[in-house]
Amino acid sequence: MHRSRLILPALTVATLALFAQVPTGGAAPAMEWREVFHEDGSITQTLTPKAPPEKTAGFRTAVTADVIPIQVTGPSADRFDLVFVGDGYTSADLATYRDHVLSKWSELVSIEPFASYKDYFNVWQVNVTSAESGVDNDPTRGVDRITALDMGFWCRGLDANTERLLCVNETKALEYAALAPAADQVIALGNTTKYGGAGGSVATASGGNAQAGQIAVHELGHSIGGLADEYDYPYETYTGDEPKELNVTKDPTGAKWGQYLGQPSPDGGVIGPVQGARYYKNGLYRPTDNSIMRTLGKRFNSIGRDAMIKAFKAKIPSLNPPVAPPGE
């Protein structure tokens, strides 16, 4: 069994740091925006009550689980470590869990630039076992199961409006992920065939649903490439500074992508500013009409693809061979 410290992924734009103020007296819960993935591939944000802090005994000492290497290609210091944790899988379900992990990993590396950089990933499967099979609120609200990570639809029952929002106890998920040698991104799979998922520091997806694998692709666009969402919900007009993310701009000329303008893109579009991005309908532009950062099932556009490759090279030293001095 492997044990090491947890490397927490940076909070991405997928989980907005927007919290409603709790009125005096604490009458209303704090709120947070969560990314919601729909069966038609569209992505939106929903304002959901923030889950109360979870009490655990502490990282690395509170839990035990076998860590199974899916793929190890080198030391973590020179690799991107992707960690899968599962919920609602009993000890008798671990073979099914492995099939779900392999399916999601295979789907990820069928897409560029992951396909070309597959050998620079370490992939770990943490065998989290639950007392009961399945997740809460599946197939309907009110179904409660005893599971290790408290995963459930309707965001664990916190959101009465968004059935497919599959939330997890992130504290517990990260605690189990800490058993892997390193964790640059954590993906929690639920033992369900019902479509669902959510973004955040721990991305979630239905383990037994083929469509849900696209959620992992989108989330890694955030956590690896630092890419912004390219959909335009829920705000109207942006009036702020130029965004730092490479795939959005406030410049209607698209000068930020000058070397790419007019060129065909892997997602089927042509690079040229398209209005509507990063949660705003107006005032921000995306590179193409429809990439994976806007709709699941699509591919990265040229800007997103190259941002991902740049991030791979920044994280993985062996992708940056030393440059020989002039004259040598």
Side-chain angles (χ1 to χ4, degrees):
M1 182 184 299
H2 300 280
R3 294 180 183 272
S4 76
R5 66 184 180 87
L6 177 67
I7 302 174
L8 291 175
L11 190 67
T12 71
V13 293
T15 302
L16 301 177
L18 300 176
F19 300 94
Q21 295 299 310
V22 179
T24 302
M31 306 290 283
E32 64 181 342
W33 288 101
R34 280 185 175 270
E35 197 162 41
V36 184
F37 303 95
H38 304 281
E39 284 186 280
D40 63 359
S42 63
I43 312 171
T44 58
Q45 295 274 340
T46 186
L47 194 60
T48 301
K50 182 174 172 59
E54 301 287 349
K55 295 181 179 179
T56 63
F59 277 37
R60 298 197 305 168
T61 60
V63 298
T64 59
D66 291 335
V67 178
I68 309 300
I70 299 298
Q71 169 177 294
V72 180
T73 61
S76 293
D78 193 43
R79 293 294 184 267
F80 190 95
D81 285 84
L82 179 63
V83 179
F84 287 94
V85 296
D87 196 39
Y89 298 91
T90 66
S91 57
D93 295 327
L94 289 179
T96 298
Y97 172 48
R98 182 173 179 82
D99 288 343
H100 291 172
V101 170
L102 291 174
S103 174
K104 296 298 185 281
W105 170 239
S106 295
E107 182 173 2
L108 180 66
V109 296
S110 70
I111 297 169
E112 291 293 353
F114 298 104
S116 294
Y117 288 85
K118 173 183 177 181
D119 292 340
Y120 292 94
F121 276 75
N122 291 337
V123 183
W124 309 96
Q125 171 188 316
V126 181
N127 283 350
V128 183
T129 56
S130 294
E132 295 182 354
S133 296
V135 298
D136 290 346
N137 303 315
D138 182 18
T140 60
R141 291 196 75 182
V143 175
D144 185 51
R145 293 185 171 88
I146 301 172
T147 65
L149 305 181
D150 305 326
M151 188 179 285
F153 289 98
W154 278 280
C155 199
R156 300 171 59 200
L158 295 172
D159 187 335
N161 301 311
T162 313
E163 178 178 358
R164 306 292 177 157
L165 188 56
L166 182 62
C167 294
V168 69
N169 180 324
E170 293 192 354
T171 302
K172 292 181 179 180
L174 291 171
E175 191 173 20
Y176 275 100
L179 300 176
D184 294 306
Q185 174 68 46
V186 180
I187 298 175
L189 300 182
N191 189 11
T192 176
T193 59
K194 180 177 178 177
Y195 179 83
S201 57
V202 177
T204 72
S206 303
N209 185 283
Q211 289 176 266
Q214 289 293 305
I215 295 170
V217 182
H218 176 92
E219 285 302 310
L220 289 175
H222 289 309
S223 60
I224 298 178
L227 298 174
D229 288 306
E230 294 178 9
Y231 52 89
D232 53 9
Y233 179 89
Y235 304 120
E236 285 297 329
T237 303
Y238 181 80
T239 58
D241 296 332
E242 173 65 21
K244 64 180 180 180
E245 297 91 353
L246 296 177
N247 61 322
V248 290
T249 184
K250 62 180 291 185
D251 182 354
T253 71
K256 191 172 187 175
W257 314 310
Q259 62 179 320
Y260 297 86
L261 289 176
Q263 295 181 6
S265 177
D267 61 332
V270 174
I271 301 296
V274 179
Q275 184 156 239
R278 200 169 172 259
Y279 323 119
Y280 288 88
K281 295 178 177 63
N282 304 293
L284 285 178
Y285 300 82
R286 59 188 188 272
T288 57
D289 184 59
N290 211 5
S291 82
I292 184 66
M293 301 312 295
R294 181 176 175 86
T295 304
L296 300 185
K298 303 299 181 180
R299 295 294 182 259
F300 289 100
N301 55 42
S302 301
I303 309 302
R305 177 202 60 196
D306 288 357
M308 297 289 282
I309 293 172
K310 181 179 179 180
F312 288 155
K313 292 181 177 180
K315 171 70 175 66
I316 302 167
S318 61
L319 290 175
N320 300 282
V323 177
E328 290 191 9

